[in-house]
Amino acid sequence: IDKSQVDTWAASRNKTASARTFNIERETLIQILDYAMREGLILENPARVTERRKQHQAKVVIPTKAQFTTLLDTLRRSDVRYRQAANLCELLAYSGCRLGEATAMTWGDVNLELKNFTVTGGEYGTKNHEARTIPLFPALEEFLLRLQASLAKPPEPTDRIVQIDNAKKAITSACETAKLPHFHHHTLRHFFCSNAIEA
């Protein structure tokens, strides 16, 4: 395999593959040819000179406080199953956690006395594989106290704070019903960040 063959591959894939797909395939090819170099099958990796394609970033639409309130109200007025979706949305928006981190959070991760909570990421861990302890922000503390009070019995430390793994369909449905822009889980992390900057 030489540079001309890699160039032929790149020219062909550039016509049919998205930038993201091309970049993933390029990285895979580089790793395969690096392995071939380590095994002494080739002297140099011709794929390393192939340039990555620029990926266009999708514009992030962050909800206003009024839109966020409308989203929650719409979820809570909808099907009873959507109440857990509203809880997940509040947890995401008030904690700044990623989806996997929020859904893995248990009541044992929350320390109301010290006013902090620990983000462990549960079974799969956090993105950087490190747990972090964060202050219990006022909006998050108020939400957790309200949620705790609504439960039939005091939660066990191992109980998850929210009982669902995602609220994608519920959020999409609520956005359509309330005529809101299309928001998703990660939008609420941006919402948290924008509110933190504003504060």
Side-chain angles (χ1 to χ4, degrees), residues 4 12 14 29 43 54 57 66 68 73 75 85 92 101-102 118 121 126 159-160 175 178 190:
S4 65
S12 170
N14 265 325
L29 181 59
L43 295 176
K54 186 173 181 179
Q57 295 290 333
F68 179 65
D73 290 344
L75 285 168
L92 291 168
E101 296 170 343
T118 303
T126 60
D159 290 346
R160 287 170 49 187
C175 287
H190 289 288

Side-chain angles (χ1 to χ4, degrees), residues 75 78-86 164 170:
L75 285 168
S78 301
D79 189 300
V80 68
R81 294 170 296 176
Y82 284 11
R83 289 180 191 158
Q84 282 293 330
I164 57 174

Side-chain angles (χ1 to χ4, degrees), residues 131-165:
R132 61 188 187 275
T133 301
I134 298 176
L136 203 57
F137 310 109
L140 179 60
E141 182 180 16
E142 187 274 328
F143 162 68
L144 291 173
L145 290 171
R146 177 167 31 93
L147 183 60
Q148 200 174 51
S150 71
L151 299 174
K153 60 179 183 176
E156 296 293 328
T158 55
D159 290 346
R160 287 170 49 187
I161 291 173
V162 290
Q163 304 302 311
I164 57 174
D165 293 323

Side-chain angles (χ1 to χ4, degrees), residues 110-117 133-137 141 145:
V110 178
N111 191 324
L112 292 168
E113 288 182 15
L114 295 178
K115 293 189 181 295
N116 64 33
F117 68 100
T133 301
I134 298 176
L136 203 57
F137 310 109
E141 182 180 16
L145 290 171

Side-chain angles (χ1 to χ4, degrees), residues 61 168 171-173 175-176 179-185 187:
V61 180
K168 184 176 180 180
I171 293 171
T172 299
S173 175
C175 287
E176 289 173 359
K179 297 187 172 29
L180 295 170
H182 178 60
F183 300 131
H184 47 84
H185 300 113
T187 304

